[in-house]
Amino acid sequence: MTIENWKPTTGGKRVGTFDLTMPSGMLLKQCSLVKGENGEFIGLPQTAWTNSDGQKKYTSVVEIPDKDIRQRFTDAVIRALRELGV
């Protein structure tokens, strides 16, 4: 996998954003490295929408429902980010 367009962020739990090209060639834009209460994780692309009360909400565009596969994905992406010096 290839990490491109790394942009660090300041404040909050998000460490930075990046684009991710998978070995299959699939490109995931606007992924995030997030520091959560239980460690770091990868935030996948989301889309914003406004509910009937006018509140902004977010919905995942990409999901990995299987917990083990999601963890292997997260571990691999974090390794790739560490190789970049993140």
Side-chain angles (χ1 to χ4, degrees):
M1 71 182 57
T2 306
I3 307 278
E4 297 178 337
N5 301 319
W6 170 257
K7 295 177 185 149
T9 56
T10 57
K13 294 181 180 183
R14 186 183 315 188
V15 178
T17 61
F18 58 94
D19 298 336
L20 176 64
T21 302
M22 302 297 294
S24 65
M26 179 175 62
L27 174 63
L28 298 174
K29 293 184 155 270
Q30 298 180 344
C31 297
S32 301
L33 175 61
V34 181
K35 283 192 178 182
E37 292 178 13
N38 297 317
E40 293 178 319
F41 66 92
I42 303 303
L44 295 172
Q46 297 180 329
T47 187
W49 56 282
T50 305
N51 70 9
S52 59
D53 295 332
Q55 295 176 325
K56 195 171 192 177
K57 299 288 183 176
Y58 295 90
T59 301
S60 294
V61 175
V62 177
E63 292 182 5
I64 305 173
D66 183 277
K67 186 177 180 178
D68 293 331
I69 294 172
R70 184 173 58 243
Q71 188 61 54
R72 288 196 314 257
F73 171 81
T74 296
D75 294 344
V77 175
I78 290 175
R79 273 193 309 273
L81 286 165
R82 295 297 178 250
E83 289 175 8
L84 287 177
V86 173

